């Protein structure tokens, strides 16, 4: 498992197993408007600005070249071969299993454990995209080492990167909520995020809970000492039981404030933020081979039942084992 | 009772008033009624006639003057401007707002400093007026205004997209449910307390946004139809007021960070890394957004975050000599160090660099194009972490600051202290 594919493996995959129909419809129907990019050697996608007027030519290219990796743009263009005439871009979140800020495993690439964790994070983000932001047409792609969430809701396709970065911070809990209210005497008072059971404060509370419960103690949180970290680990069961107030009381309000600030920064690393704010990114083409780990970049129909180790393994790997 | 148009100059009622009373030929005439209201405004200081606007024309100028004075706290005397917050002037005020928008929109670029100051001043006036509404009627008025501006009190968040784009509000400051922004009173009690400040904050943001779009429209129109001479004259007057305020460099007070030759040693790690050259993928943002704004402000106006005044490059570099001969060459050199060199496959990025300096999309900065775009301030560290994480290699000083320019000022100050030099920093600093 997770071994690099040889040129022979790639050839085998693209001639015997790969079919154009495995590319999801949302890409197939506008191939002529997307930029394609390829990595032929494993050095990164150097062959860019590729344009295919139809499925037939794309099929021919892919079968013949059996690339190390294949990518297509999240943007549609009038002139994709020049990246000009921008029409729209999908909203994308890239959850890479190897970059999750709190990892239970100590593996150096990916393993079953961290892939599972990536899946949990994806599920959380999608819930927020749907429940809070009311977004629809959300596709999940297993990328080979994590997941891409690709949102095709028409209302955000034209949004600029500032708006996307704001959505990003909302769904992953990247800002410490600033909650103030005016009491009956007209004084401004502050509320803790965990006291508000809806909207962004709730999202922030959930993400923070996730991070704190998954800390293994080795993480460096800004302004948090080793000693405090131990205390956090010792008392985090209170958070599991939703007793945030008590938890805050035990570690102290000042420390709590620093902790929450540090956690917001860790939250920001749940996804690769650059991918979300970049309107001209190329992403791994679903159906293509992730040669570094020999897995298929796969459109996920049902996240819950999806198992990459069963559903994204190419035949040549199965044959070897 | 306060009319909503005292706060929202875009309401239907406001538009009706303007239609009925907006005769431009009358705006310089002295208005008894207006003078009368001002005279009977509580708290108004009346010792100086020149401080009291007698006509709509004068009221227009007072509106901008108030904002400029308020920003310049030391000399601000609120007692002279009480009338601006007297709901009785609402009718005059609405007409004044529209006259100002027409004048400024016709003469200046929508991104110009004059336009921005007008937009900001409107935001400030609205904020302060909301603050002064009595508690008992506040909720009602705010609900009414929200319905006027958004057609409902539960808009879809995408209706606020422009506000998010311009960072007038943050998405994470709103309470969202199923795509809707909760601004009404349907929420449970504890939530209501949180929603109140959001309701109050969003109104000035919305009005600033509408004002901005209004200026755009007027500006487009003005290209086709000659504006009324009295509007042109008013615009000139406003420009004069504003440049009196901004055309510095004024005497710099103690502790002010002065413009001086660039001190390369004091650059933060992200800037040093950018100058060494950046790989494709990060190249464009690093050069165009980060380095261009950093170098221009560091060289010309390092105190921008301290003073927060919207300046133009030409305020500090009236002939653009420094910009063309010192700043741009360094940016271009860094662009050349990129892999592959930036302009080789993205020649249009030269235009973007000019635009970020405030001179619109042109090959090189020219005085006549100034104001076509905004002079971009350097990205915050938070933004750099998102867009250019590869360049962000924080050192000890980085942890204490939020912006690379602040780093630069701090470091120069530290160096100055260590050396005991009189002048920050020596021009002998080598590159
Ligand atoms: Zn692992």
């Amino acid at each position: 498992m997770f071994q690099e594919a040889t040129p022979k493996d790639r050839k085998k995959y693209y001639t015997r197993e790969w079919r154009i129909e495995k590319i999801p419809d949302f890409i197939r129907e506008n191939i002529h408007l997307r930029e394609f990019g390829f990595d032929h050697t494993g050095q990164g996608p150097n062959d860019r600005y590729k344009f295919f007027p139809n499925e037939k030519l794309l099929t021919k290219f892919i079968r013949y070249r059996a690339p190390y990796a294949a990518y297509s743009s999240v943007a549609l263009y009038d002139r994709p071969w020049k990246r000009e005439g921008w029409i729209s871009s999908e909203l994308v979140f890239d959850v890479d299993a190897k970059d999750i800020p709190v990892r239970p495993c100590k593996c150096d690439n990916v393993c079953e454990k961290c892939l599972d964790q990536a899946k949990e994070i994806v599920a959380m983000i999608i819930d927020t995209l749907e429940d809070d932001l009311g977004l629809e047409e959300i596709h999940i792609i297993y990328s080979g080492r994590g997941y891409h969430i690709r949102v095709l809701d028409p209302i955000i396709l034209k949004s600029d990167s500032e708006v996307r970065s704001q959505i990003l911070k909302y769904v992953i809990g990247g800002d410490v909520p600033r909650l103030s209210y005016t009491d009956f005497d007209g004084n401004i008072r502050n509320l803790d995020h965990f006291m508000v059971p809806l909207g962004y404060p709730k999202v922030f509370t959930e993400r923070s809970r996730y991070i704190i419960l998954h800390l293994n103690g080795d993480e460096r949180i800004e302004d948090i000492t080793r000693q405090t970290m131990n205390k956090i680990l010792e008392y985090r069961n209170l958070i599991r039981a939703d007793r945030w107030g008590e938890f805050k009381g035990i570690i102290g309000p000042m420390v709590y404030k620093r902790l929450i600030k540090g956690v917001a920064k860790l939250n920001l690393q749940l996804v690769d933020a650059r991918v979300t704010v970049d309107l001209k990114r190329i992403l791994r083409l679903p159906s293509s081979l992730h040669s570094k780990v020999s897995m298929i970049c796969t459109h996920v129909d049902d996240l819950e039942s999806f198992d990459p180790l069963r559903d994204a393994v190419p035949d040549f790997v199965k044959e070897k084992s | 009772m306060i009319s909503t148009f005292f706060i929202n100059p875009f309401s239907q009622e406001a538009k009706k008033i303007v239609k009925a009373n907006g005769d431009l030929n009358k705006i310089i005439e002295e208005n008894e009624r207006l003078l009368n209201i001002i005279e009977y405004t509580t708290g108004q200081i009346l010792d100086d006639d020149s401080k009291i606007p007698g006509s709509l024309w004068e009221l227009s100028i007072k509106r901008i003057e108030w904002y400029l004075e308020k920003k310049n706290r030391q000399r601000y005397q609120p007692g002279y401007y009480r009338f601006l917050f007297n709901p009785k002037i609402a009718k005059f005020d609405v007409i004044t707002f529209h006259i100002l928008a027409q004048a400024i929109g016709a003469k200046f670029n929508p991104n110009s400093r004059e336009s921005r100051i007008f937009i900001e001043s409107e935001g400030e006036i609205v904020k302060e007026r909301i603050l002064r509404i009595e508690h008992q009627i506040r909720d009602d008025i705010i609900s009414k205004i929200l319905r006027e501006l958004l057609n409902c009190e539960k808009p879809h968040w995408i209706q606020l997209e422009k506000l998010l784009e311009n960072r007038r509000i943050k998405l994470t400051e709103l309470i969202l449910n199923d795509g809707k922004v909760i601004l009404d009173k349907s929420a449970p009690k504890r939530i209501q307390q949180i929603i109140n400040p959001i309701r109050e904050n969003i109104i000035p943001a919305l009005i600033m946004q509408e004002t901005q779009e209004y200026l755009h429209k007027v500006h487009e129109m003005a290209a086709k139809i000659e504006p009324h001479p009295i509007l042109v004259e008013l615009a000139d007057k406003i420009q004069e007021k504003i440049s009196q305020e901004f055309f510095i460099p004024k005497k710099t007070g103690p502790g002010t960070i002065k413009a001086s030759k660039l001190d390369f040693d004091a650059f933060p790690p992200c800037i040093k890394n950018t100058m060494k050259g950046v790989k494709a993928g990060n190249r464009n943002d690093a050069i165009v957004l980060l380095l261009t704004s950093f170098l221009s402000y560091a060289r010309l106006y390092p105190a921008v975050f301290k003073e927060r005044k919207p300046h133009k490059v030409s305020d500090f570099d009236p002939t653009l000599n420094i910009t063309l001969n010192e700043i741009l060459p360094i940016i271009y050199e860094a662009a050349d160090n990129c892999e592959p060199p930036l302009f080789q496959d993205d020649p249009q990025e030269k235009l973007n660099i000019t635009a970020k300096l405030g001179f619109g999309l042109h090959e090189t900065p020219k005085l006549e194009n100034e104001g076509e775009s905004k002079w971009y301030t350097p990205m915050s560290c938070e933004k750099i972490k998102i867009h250019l994480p590869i360049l962000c290699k924080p050192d000890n000083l980085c942890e204490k600051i939020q912006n690379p320019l602040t780093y630069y000022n701090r470091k120069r100050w530290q160096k100055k202290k260590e050396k005991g030099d009189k002048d920050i920093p020596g021009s002998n600093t080598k590159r």
Side-chain angles (χ1 to χ4, degrees):
Chain A
M1 272 293 175
F2 305 125
Q3 287 200 333
E4 190 166 3
T6 65
K8 224 173 117 192
D9 293 336
R10 278 148 50 190
K11 199 84 205 166
K12 216 181 211 174
Y13 173 73
Y14 281 111
T15 47
R16 290 200 206 152
E17 198 174 346
W18 180 82
R19 274 177 295 119
I20 188 92
E21 291 80 17
K22 293 200 174 164
I23 299 181
D25 286 348
F26 71 88
I27 295 175
R28 268 178 76 194
E29 63 204 15
N30 46 40
I31 282 178
H32 60 295
L33 300 176
R34 290 187 195 252
E35 180 209 358
F36 283 78
F38 298 93
D39 176 354
H40 299 293
T41 57
Q43 310 285 306
N46 293 320
D47 185 14
R48 293 194 62 174
Y49 292 94
K50 283 276 177 207
F51 162 68
F52 298 97
N54 55 47
E55 290 185 358
K56 224 168 138 188
L57 288 170
L58 175 65
T59 308
K60 224 170 143 184
F61 183 94
I62 288 189
R63 279 211 206 286
Y64 181 68
R65 299 293 299 266
Y68 187 86
Y71 304 81
S72 71
S73 61
V74 299
L76 305 182
Y77 305 95
D78 287 327
R79 297 174 295 285
W81 55 89
K82 282 165 126 181
R83 243 188 267 166
E84 277 178 7
W86 181 82
I87 301 167
S88 65
S89 294
E90 300 161 20
L91 170 67
V92 181
F93 302 92
D94 178 12
V95 181
D96 194 324
K98 95 176 181 336
D99 295 330
I100 296 170
V102 284
R103 300 219 303 172
C105 61
K106 303 249 165 25
C107 73
D108 51 0
N109 195 3
V110 284
C111 66
E112 220 177 322
K113 257 193 195 165
C114 37
L115 283 175
D116 270 347
Q117 217 191 333
K119 199 164 137 177
E120 278 170 38
I121 292 165
V122 168
M124 291 197 296
I125 293 175
I126 288 178
D127 279 347
T128 306
L129 287 170
E130 289 175 345
D131 298 347
D132 287 35
L133 288 137
L135 292 172
E136 290 168 3
E137 294 191 48
I138 301 173
H139 293 265
I140 306 168
I141 312 290
Y142 173 69
S143 67
R145 223 171 46 184
Y147 293 87
H148 294 152
I149 301 170
R150 304 175 71 154
V151 187
L152 282 107
D153 193 315
I155 71 167
I156 45 90
L157 293 179
K158 301 252 181 198
S159 300
D160 76 354
S161 14
E162 179 60 39
V163 173
R164 288 165 197 249
S165 118
Q166 296 221 26
I167 296 176
L168 172 92
K169 284 191 195 153
Y170 191 103
V171 301
I172 61 176
D175 270 342
V176 176
R178 265 196 318 199
L179 295 167
S180 58
Y181 70 94
T182 319
D183 70 10
F184 297 111
D185 301 325
N187 299 313
I188 309 250
R189 307 228 172 252
N190 291 314
L191 265 184
D192 277 313
H193 61 92
F194 51 79
M195 297 173 76
V196 183
L198 82 175
Y200 180 67
K202 177 173 166 237
V203 174
F204 183 79
T205 304
E206 280 174 0
R207 302 298 178 271
S208 305
R209 170 196 279 128
Y210 186 88
I211 291 281
I212 294 172
L213 294 184
H214 283 79
L215 289 171
N216 61 39
D218 297 338
E219 295 86 356
R220 255 207 69 215
I221 305 182
E222 218 176 85
D223 295 328
I224 294 293
T225 59
R226 236 327 355 124
Q227 231 180 335
T228 313
M229 183 64 119
N230 290 335
K231 212 165 175 187
I232 293 165
L233 297 187
E234 190 182 337
Y235 290 101
R236 67 176 163 192
N237 270 331
L238 289 171
I239 287 177
R240 206 186 301 272
D242 253 327
R243 287 151 64 186
W244 285 82
E246 281 170 69
F247 176 78
K248 181 181 168 184
I250 286 171
I251 68 165
M254 291 314 285
V255 176
Y256 184 79
K257 214 172 153 186
R258 295 209 302 268
L259 170 65
I260 278 308
K261 218 175 122 196
V263 167
K265 283 196 179 165
L266 288 181
N267 289 346
L268 265 179
Q269 297 164 36
L270 287 169
V271 301
D272 183 346
R274 282 172 303 168
V275 178
T276 306
V277 298
D278 189 348
L279 301 175
K280 299 189 169 185
R281 272 272 158 173
I282 49 173
L283 281 187
R284 256 176 215 286
L285 180 68
S287 79
S288 71
L289 188 68
H290 191 316
S291 296
K292 181 104 195 154
V293 286
S294 292
M295 295 199 95
I296 303 167
C297 178
T298 311
H299 188 273
V300 177
D301 291 324
D302 176 30
L303 185 64
E304 199 139 341
S305 65
F306 179 78
D307 175 7
L309 303 183
R310 180 191 65 211
D311 303 325
V313 178
D315 288 344
F316 70 82
V317 172
K318 289 181 196 152
E319 284 161 17
K320 275 183 196 167
S321 61
Chain B
M1 187 61 193
I2 298 177
S3 332
T4 59
F5 62 77
F6 187 47
I7 289 169
N8 173 19
F10 297 102
S11 69
Q12 288 307 320
E13 222 179 334
K15 283 175 188 157
K16 261 185 230 155
I17 294 168
V18 176
K19 220 172 213 169
N21 305 284
D23 183 354
L24 288 173
N25 297 310
K26 288 191 179 153
I27 64 175
I28 41 173
E29 287 172 17
E30 190 161 282
N31 191 307
E32 279 297 325
R33 173 94 186 104
L34 176 61
L35 279 166
N36 201 263
I37 296 171
I38 295 175
E39 206 178 319
Y40 287 95
T41 297
T42 358
Q44 178 68 37
I45 306 178
L46 297 163
D47 63 355
D48 184 349
D49 272 356
S50 75
K51 298 228 155 111
I52 297 169
S55 63
L56 291 174
W57 166 280
E58 284 173 10
L59 183 60
S60 309
I61 295 162
K62 282 287 157 196
R63 249 176 158 268
I64 300 289
E65 187 189 283
W66 167 78
Y67 176 71
L68 297 173
E69 290 282 308
K70 199 178 171 215
K71 289 231 116 179
N72 191 335
R73 271 173 238 132
Q74 305 105 304
R75 94 182 156 212
Y76 175 48
Q77 286 188 278
Y80 283 117
Y81 301 94
R82 286 276 187 256
F83 60 85
L84 279 176
F85 306 98
N86 181 352
K88 291 208 174 82
I89 69 154
K91 263 191 185 180
F92 299 105
D93 183 73
V94 156
I95 302 166
T96 306
F97 169 84
H98 286 270
I99 293 170
L100 268 173
Q102 297 276 344
I104 289 174
K107 165 117 197 233
F108 304 104
N109 199 291
N111 294 310
S112 65
R113 175 168 68 199
E114 287 76 12
S115 299
R116 286 203 311 275
I117 284 180
F118 174 57
I119 295 166
E120 282 166 24
S121 72
E122 182 58 19
E124 280 303 311
I125 285 185
V126 168
K127 246 186 237 170
E128 192 147 343
R129 284 180 182 165
I130 291 177
L131 261 173
R132 287 162 187 262
I133 305 175
E134 292 164 62
H135 265 279
Q136 305 93 293
I137 50 170
R138 202 163 178 167
D139 265 354
D140 271 354
I141 293 192
I142 284 173
S143 287
K144 257 192 218 159
I145 297 172
L146 283 173
R147 282 195 299 268
E148 282 172 7
L149 290 165
L150 296 166
N151 291 322
C152 63
E153 281 183 80
K154 267 192 194 176
H156 194 284
W157 66 267
I158 205 79
Q159 272 181 265
L160 307 177
E161 189 176 23
K162 281 269 174 314
L163 301 190
L164 298 171
E165 249 174 47
N166 291 331
R167 305 226 267 159
R168 296 216 154 98
I169 52 163
K170 279 181 172 179
L171 196 60
T172 53
E173 286 166 1
L174 303 172
I175 302 290
L176 298 180
N177 185 25
D178 199 20
K180 305 277 196 214
V181 184
I182 312 290
L183 290 170
D184 65 346
K185 293 287 178 174
S186 65
K189 196 139 197 206
R190 194 195 295 160
I191 311 304
Q192 273 179 35
Q193 293 177 322
I194 301 163
I195 287 165
N196 278 336
I198 303 174
R199 282 158 56 89
E200 288 169 23
N201 287 338
I202 207 166
I203 290 174
L206 281 166
I207 288 176
M208 285 167 84
Q209 189 59 41
E210 291 242 14
T211 307
Q212 186 174 356
E213 280 158 30
Y214 184 24
L215 291 180
H216 265 278
K217 261 185 240 150
V218 174
H219 195 70
E220 266 171 34
M221 284 290 286
K224 290 176 220 148
I225 308 160
E226 187 94 10
H228 194 290
I230 208 153
L231 292 177
V232 180
E233 211 181 309
L234 179 61
D236 286 339
K237 189 81 196 162
I238 302 280
Q239 185 177 32
E240 197 189 306
K241 265 262 168 243
I242 290 175
S243 54
Q244 272 168 14
E245 185 68 17
F246 287 97
F247 196 75
I248 29 89
K250 276 190 301 210
K251 269 178 279 162
T252 39
T256 316
I257 317 140
K258 280 182 283 183
S260 59
K261 293 263 180 200
L262 289 168
D263 179 355
F264 291 81
D265 294 335
F267 285 3
C270 54
I271 298 294
K272 284 185 177 157
N273 291 333
T274 304
M275 307 243 319
K276 281 183 215 146
V278 186
K279 285 213 168 80
N282 292 304
R283 231 171 26 146
N284 304 48
D285 282 357
I287 301 292
V288 177
L289 291 174
L290 178 60
L291 190 66
T292 301
S293 54
F294 175 85
L295 287 179
S296 55
Y297 276 95
R299 176 65 183 87
L300 297 171
Y301 183 30
V304 56
F305 294 120
K306 233 181 153 186
E307 298 169 356
R308 294 258 169 217
K309 284 186 182 176
H311 280 288
K312 299 178 183 179
V313 163
S314 66
D315 289 343
F316 305 95
D317 184 15
T319 57
L320 302 189
N321 265 332
I322 304 176
T323 309
L324 297 172
N325 300 319
E326 283 184 45
I327 299 170
L328 279 177
I330 307 175
I331 300 171
Y332 288 174
E333 196 187 315
D336 246 8
N337 289 339
C338 289
E339 237 186 271
L342 179 59
F343 302 136
Q344 195 175 293
D345 49 338
D346 271 333
Q348 79 281 7
E349 289 293 37
K350 263 196 184 167
L351 312 185
N352 289 332
I353 290 172
T354 307
K356 296 294 177 267
L357 294 168
F359 299 90
L361 287 166
H362 300 277
E363 185 77 15
T364 48
K366 285 202 191 79
L367 280 173
E368 71 247 36
N369 301 121
E370 193 165 38
E372 285 180 25
S373 54
K374 213 176 107 182
W375 184 14
Y376 264 60
T377 49
M379 299 192 198
S380 63
C381 295
E382 189 196 358
K383 276 227 144 153
I384 294 169
K385 276 186 192 134
I386 292 182
H387 292 261
L388 300 160
I390 209 149
L391 296 173
C392 178
K393 300 275 176 283
D395 63 13
N396 288 337
L397 182 52
C398 285
E399 287 176 12
K400 301 186 185 80
I401 52 103
Q402 267 100 51
N403 190 288
L405 193 61
T406 324
Y407 180 110
Y408 179 66
N409 292 327
R410 243 343 139 86
K411 187 82 176 253
R412 282 200 304 161
W413 181 74
Q414 276 180 3
K415 283 176 69 180
K416 178 191 156 198
K417 241 184 17 181
E418 281 161 22
K419 278 204 257 161
D421 276 1
K422 267 198 199 140
D423 224 294
I424 341 173
S427 50
N428 55 355
T429 326
K430 63 168 194 307
R431 275 192 58 190

